[in-house]
Amino acid sequence: MLGLASIPLCLFLNLGVVIGGVAIILAILSKGTLEKLLPQAKKAILYGSIGIVVGYGVFTYDLYTVLTDPQSRAQLNTISKQMNGVSFDEMLKELGVQIDG
C-alpha cells in the first residue's frame, strides 16, 4: 500500500521518495524467514522504486526550472522573502553559491 501511495505523493513535498523508501524496507523486512518474497512485497518494491525515481525526477525538474526560468526564480524569491525575510538569491549568496540568471 505504501509503495502505491508513493507515486502520487511524489508531487507533494517530495514525500514519494520517503514513502517509497519505507515501502521497500518494509517489503524486505516482511520476508522474515521465508525463502522468497511474497507477491505483495514484490509489488511494494516495484511501486516504491517507481515512487523514488519519479520523486527524484520531479525534484530535478523543479530545481532546473528554478535555476533557469527567471519568472519562477522571481516567484521563489518573493515567497522566500515572505516566509523567511530573506530572498532565495540572498540565501545562495550567504552559502557562497553564485548562479547566473
Side-chain angles (χ1 to χ4, degrees), residues 69-90:
D69 182 26
Q71 187 177 6
S72 296
R73 183 86 164 264
Q75 185 178 9
L76 179 62
N77 280 329
T78 302
I79 292 170
S80 178
K81 188 87 169 176
Q82 290 172 352
M83 292 177 64
N84 305 316
V86 180
S87 72
F88 179 71
D89 288 336
E90 292 170 354

Side-chain angles (χ1 to χ4, degrees), residues 10-74:
C10 292
L11 304 174
F12 302 103
L13 299 172
N14 219 15
L15 287 175
V17 174
V18 175
I19 300 295
V22 170
I24 291 171
I25 291 170
L26 290 176
I28 292 170
L29 290 176
S30 72
K31 181 181 175 206
T33 59
L34 299 175
E35 204 169 298
K36 294 183 179 182
L37 287 172
L38 296 172
Q40 297 91 340
K42 290 179 184 178
K43 288 178 187 176
I45 291 172
L46 174 69
Y47 291 138
S49 300
I50 291 171
I52 289 172
V53 169
V54 171
Y56 278 119
V58 168
F59 174 75
T60 304
Y61 173 76
D62 290 342
L63 185 62
Y64 174 78
T65 301
V66 164
L67 295 178
T68 59
D69 182 26
Q71 187 177 6
S72 296
R73 183 86 164 264

